[in-house]
Amino acid sequence: MCGIVGYVGGQSALDVVIAGLKRLEYRGYDSAGVAVLADGGLATAKKAGKLVNLEKELKDRPLPDGFSAIGHTRWATHGAPTDLNAHPHLDNAGRVAVVHNGIIENFAVLRAELATRGHELVSETDTEVVGHLLAESFSSCGDLADAMRQVCRRLEGAFTLVAVHSDAPDVVVGARRNSPLVVGVGEGEFFLASDVTAFIDHTRSAIELGQDQVVELRLGGVTVTDFAGAAAEVRSYHVDWDASAAEKGGYDYFMLKEIAEQPKAVADTLLGRIDTTGALRLDEIRIPASVLREVTKVVLVACGTAFHAGLIAKYAIEHWTRIPCEVELASEFRYRDPILDERTLVIAISQSGETMDTLMALRHAREQGARVLAICNTNGSTIPRESDAVLYTHAGPEVAVASTKAFLTQLVACYLVALYLGQARGTQTADEVRTVIRELADVPDAVGRVLQTMGPVRELARSLAQKDTVLFLGRHMGYPVALEGALKLKELAYMHAEGFAAGELKHGPIALIEEDLPVVVVVPSLRGQPILHDKIVSNIQEIRARGARTIVIAEEGDGTVEPYADHLIRIPVTPALLQPMVTTVPLQVFACELATARGNEVDQPRNLAKSVTVE
Ligand code: F6R
C-alpha cells in the first residue's frame, strides 16, 4: 500500500525514481509525485490519478534533474486522491519533501501543535505534519538523519518515511516502523524502496531494514541507526530473481503471466524440500520436532486469498495430523481474545509479508506464548522476521493485485507443513509422506494441462460480461475454492459474486437462483468421499431445476455430471486433498477474462492495492 522510491547516485535521479514507481504502481495508484534535489533547491511535481498523469505533467512542465530524488505512488487513506493530497508533502518554506506509507495515528495532535507555532498545513493528509516537523528539527540540528530520528520518536502508528532537504544535497533519509522499506546497494549508487522490484534493474544486492530504524543514503554509503541514533546491525541479502521476473514478458497483463507461471511456481516451492530418497526435508522450520509433537492446536491466520489457502489447509492438516485446526481472518483474530498457549502453533500466511492485519495477529499470538510459523513469498519482509520460523514460497514476484501463483504456492507450503507435522508426530508414516510428495510433484504438470484447455473458459467468460451476478458452490475443499472464485470475480470484474457451501443452499441462498443465473459448481474428486460427490450432483440438479445456468468444474472421466452441466470445465484427475490446486486455476482465468471483457483494469482493480499495510 503506497509505493516509495528514493535514489542517490550518478544517474538521472528522476529517471530512476519514475522507473521505480512504475514497478511499484501495484501498491497504489490514486496519485503519484516526485521531488528532486537540483540546482541547489528542491523541485517537485505531483498529480492525482495513475503514474501516467505524472509522466505527462513532467513532459509538459519538465523539472530540473539531479542525482538525488524521492517518489511516491499513493493508495489514499487520509484525504481524497487529489493533486493537493498527493505526496511528496513539503514544509512551508518548500525546503523539505517527504513521502509516506502507513498511517500516523497522532497526526491531529501534531497538526494542532504545529498550527500554534504558525505552520500552515494545506492538505488533508496525516503525512504533511512530518514535513513540517522535519523542517523544524533540521533547522535546529542541521542533519537530516538526526531530524528524522527526532521526528520518528514523536510519531505513533505505522510509517515508512523517505525525505530530502534542499540544504542537505545528495542525502536521502528513510525510516520505518511497521511498514516496509528496503535498501538497494549499487556501485556508487543507493536506492530506497517499498520492495526490491523498484531497483532490481540496477542491483540485486539489498539490505533489510529492521523495525524502528533510520537509514541515511549518501554518495559515500549507507548508515543505519535505531530511532535513538545507535548504530544498527545491517543484514544484507542477494535477490535471487532478476529484472525479467518483474516484467510482463509479452503478456497483456501481469495477472495472465502470473497465472501461466503457476506450474513453475509450484515446482519451485517444492524444490530443495525433498531429498534424493523422496523424503520431506524442511530444515528451515527451526521449531524442534519435540515441540511439534506437543502441539495441541493449529491456528491459521491470514487475509483474503491467503485466508482461503488457510481454509483449504485445515482439511489437510486435520486429516494428516489429527490436530484440531482453526482458521481465522487475521483482522478478527486478536479482537476475540483467542485461547492460545505455548502448545498452539499459529501459521501466518501472507504473500507480501507486510499485511498489517496478519502482522498484528501474529504479534498477539506470540505475546500469548504461541509459536508462529510464517508462510511467506517475500524475503526479509516483516511477517517472517517477526515469526519463530518461516517457510518461504518460491512464486517469484507477484505484481498483479489479484493473487494467483502466490495462492497455489501457499497451498504447497501448507501441504508440506501438514506432512511435516504428521511425520514429526507419527500420524504419517515415511511411506505415506513419500506418496503425497510424489503426488505433489505431479501437480505442476496437471496445472499446465489445465492452462492448455482454457479457450472455452475464456469464451464463456466473455459471454457473461453483461451479467450482474455469478454464484459459486463447493463442498469440502471445494467450498474455499468457491469462495476464492467469488473473491477473484468481485475484485476484478466488480460483479456481485458469492461463494457458498453447496449444502447451505437449502438454508437460504437457493432463493437467489433465477432463470439463466450463472452458477459455478466445483465438483469433488470421485476418488474422495463418494457421498460428497453424489450430494453435489444432487445440488446441481436442484439449481438447474430452478433455472440456473450451471458451469461445472469436474474431473476428466466423471460422466455423472454431464447431463446437468450447461458448461463443463474438465480438470485432470488429482488426489482429493490436492484438488484445489487444479480447480482454482479455471476460476482465475474466468475472472481475468470477464474483467477484460467488461473493460476493467486487470492488474490494478479499482480501490485496491497490493500489500495492505494498514489495518
Ligand atoms: C486477492 C488478494 C488479497 C490478498 C490479501 C492478503 O486476490 O490478493 O485478498 O490475498 O490482501 O495479502 P498477503 O498475502 O500479502 O498477506
Side-chain angles (χ1 to χ4, degrees):
M1 226 156 229
C2 296
I4 288 183
V5 185
Y7 176 73
V8 173
Q11 305 188 54
S12 151
L14 273 177
D15 285 354
V16 172
V17 164
I18 293 286
L21 290 180
K22 276 190 190 148
R23 286 275 169 78
L24 294 185
E25 210 183 3
Y26 69 87
R27 301 179 69 92
Y29 27 86
D30 291 336
S31 63
V34 287
V36 55
L37 290 172
D39 304 338
L42 187 63
T44 64
K46 50 191 199 171
K47 269 319 236 187
K50 297 205 168 190
L51 189 59
V52 286
N53 296 0
L54 175 68
E55 288 182 286
K56 182 168 179 310
E57 169 76 7
L58 290 172
K59 214 164 161 216
D60 296 345
R61 274 174 285 279
L63 293 183
D65 207 348
F67 299 113
S68 319
I70 61 176
H72 187 265
T73 173
R74 179 170 187 239
W75 186 85
T77 57
H78 290 65
T82 59
D83 287 357
L84 194 64
N85 289 332
H87 300 210
H89 289 281
L90 311 182
D91 67 318
N92 285 144
R95 307 186 75 78
V96 176
V98 64
V99 293
H100 167 221
N101 171 25
I103 293 178
I104 294 163
E105 283 164 4
N106 58 337
F107 87 98
V109 177
L110 295 169
R111 196 178 170 110
E113 180 193 306
L114 284 161
T116 63
R117 294 202 292 272
H119 292 259
E120 280 179 36
L121 281 80
V122 293
S123 78
E124 301 161 282
T125 67
D126 51 342
T127 309
E128 196 180 1
V129 295
V130 178
H132 288 254
L133 290 171
L134 276 174
E136 278 187 341
S137 294
F138 185 88
S139 67
S140 59
C141 72
D143 179 275
L144 190 56
D146 206 24
M148 182 64 94
R149 285 186 282 269
Q150 288 177 26
V151 172
C152 287
R153 293 198 292 267
R154 302 210 52 208
L155 302 181
E156 288 165 19
F159 49 85
T160 296
L161 296 163
V162 174
V164 286
H165 194 298
S166 57
D167 293 343
D170 297 328
V171 176
V172 173
V173 165
R176 76 165 287 248
R177 166 180 288 170
N178 287 339
S179 195
L181 187 64
V182 281
V183 184
V185 181
E187 293 205 0
E189 57 181 0
F190 302 94
F191 308 79
L192 282 175
S194 305
D195 77 47
V196 296
T197 48
F199 54 71
I200 194 75
D201 284 327
H202 306 280
T203 180
R204 289 164 73 180
S205 176
I207 296 175
E208 266 178 46
L209 285 183
Q211 180 74 333
D212 287 3
Q213 291 187 343
V214 167
V215 55
E216 181 188 56
L217 308 188
R218 288 177 177 270
L219 281 172
V222 176
T223 313
V224 184
T225 67
D226 63 18
F227 284 177
E233 199 187 319
V234 167
R235 265 198 60 199
S236 304
Y237 65 101
H238 181 77
V239 182
D240 55 10
W241 43 268
D242 62 16
S244 65
E247 307 277 359
K248 282 190 201 149
Y251 289 88
D252 288 344
Y253 307 109
F254 277 107
M255 187 177 175
L256 287 173
K257 175 181 175 238
E258 289 161 7
I259 288 173
E261 283 173 344
Q262 293 184 112
K264 180 171 183 319
V266 169
D268 287 353
T269 302
L270 288 169
L271 211 66
R273 287 164 173 161
I274 299 155
D275 72 13
T276 47
T277 70
L280 182 59
R281 289 271 166 274
L282 292 187
D283 297 337
E284 61 254 70
I285 299 190
R286 299 180 310 264
I287 303 174
S290 56
V291 173
L292 295 179
R293 276 194 285 277
E294 297 303 311
V295 167
T296 52
K297 180 165 77 169
V298 174
V299 183
L300 293 126
V301 288
C303 303
T305 289
F307 171 70
H308 297 155
L311 289 176
I312 292 168
K314 173 183 162 81
Y315 293 86
I317 293 172
E318 289 190 339
H319 186 74
W320 288 330
T321 70
R322 308 309 299 152
I323 310 172
C325 183
E326 295 170 9
V327 194
E328 183 103 15
L329 286 168
S331 53
E332 293 291 324
F333 182 66
R334 66 188 167 127
Y335 300 106
R336 70 163 176 90
D337 196 11
I339 301 163
L340 306 164
D341 60 28
E342 60 288 347
R343 294 173 72 185
T344 311
L345 176 66
V346 172
I347 303 179
I349 310 173
S350 174
Q351 186 285 130
S352 61
E354 301 292 348
T355 300
M356 186 57 78
D357 290 315
T358 311
L359 179 61
M360 290 303 173
L362 87 81
R363 283 187 184 160
H364 181 78
R366 290 194 80 194
E367 278 162 19
Q368 311 301 307
R371 305 269 181 159
V372 178
L373 167 68
I375 290 179
C376 183
N377 194 43
T378 310
N379 209 301
S381 54
T382 311
I383 288 171
R385 283 166 63 94
E386 295 202 13
S387 299
D388 295 291
V390 55
L391 190 64
Y392 280 110
T393 51
H394 297 307
E398 192 179 64
V399 178
V401 165
S403 189
T404 53
K405 61 176 179 171
F407 175 71
L408 254 61
T409 60
Q410 284 163 353
L411 292 181
V412 175
C414 287
Y415 290 129
L416 294 180
V417 170
L419 290 172
Y420 190 71
L421 272 172
Q423 191 172 273
R425 298 165 69 90
T427 49
Q428 289 291 297
T429 65
D431 276 351
E432 283 167 334
V433 172
R434 275 197 182 85
T435 304
V436 182
I437 294 281
R438 271 199 303 276
E439 291 167 344
L440 273 171
D442 290 337
V443 170
D445 181 54
V447 173
R449 281 194 285 139
V450 173
L451 290 172
Q452 280 162 17
T453 57
M454 286 297 96
V457 173
R458 290 199 182 90
E459 206 177 302
L460 170 65
R462 285 195 294 273
S463 75
L464 299 177
Q466 303 311 321
K467 292 279 182 194
D468 298 322
T469 299
V470 180
L471 301 184
F472 295 76
L473 301 180
R475 273 180 183 263
H476 194 252
M477 283 176 143
Y479 168 44
V481 172
L483 294 177
E484 175 60 8
L487 175 62
K488 284 286 160 291
L489 206 60
K490 277 181 240 196
E491 69 178 321
L492 293 169
Y494 318 150
M495 289 169 84
H496 171 230
E498 300 241 24
F500 297 110
E504 275 295 292
L505 265 187
K506 55 192 174 298
H507 301 290
I510 200 161
L512 291 170
I513 306 292
E514 57 188 19
E515 198 56 36
D516 208 34
L517 179 82
V519 184
V520 180
V521 187
V522 184
V523 177
S525 167
L526 274 170
R527 301 203 292 169
Q529 301 172 46
I531 184 130
L532 273 179
H533 182 274
D534 296 351
K535 286 206 184 309
I536 210 151
V537 175
S538 304
N539 296 139
I540 300 172
Q541 292 177 59
E542 284 156 17
I543 55 169
R544 199 154 183 266
R546 287 162 177 83
R549 186 185 324 182
T550 55
I551 303 165
V552 177
I553 302 180
E555 278 183 356
E556 285 155 4
D558 180 352
T560 52
V561 291
E562 269 165 26
Y564 318 111
D566 295 311
H567 307 270
L568 188 53
I569 302 170
R570 287 293 189 192
I571 48 144
V573 177
T574 317
L577 283 178
L578 307 186
Q579 205 202 32
M581 303 191 71
V582 287
T583 45
T584 308
V585 177
L587 301 181
Q588 299 167 340
V589 174
F590 181 72
C592 184
E593 191 68 28
L594 235 165
T596 312
R598 285 165 76 95
N600 298 351
E601 293 226 22
V602 168
D603 285 338
Q604 295 175 346
R606 70 182 180 203
N607 304 337
L608 288 168
K610 209 162 180 75
S611 193
V612 186
T613 52
V614 293
E615 267 188 281

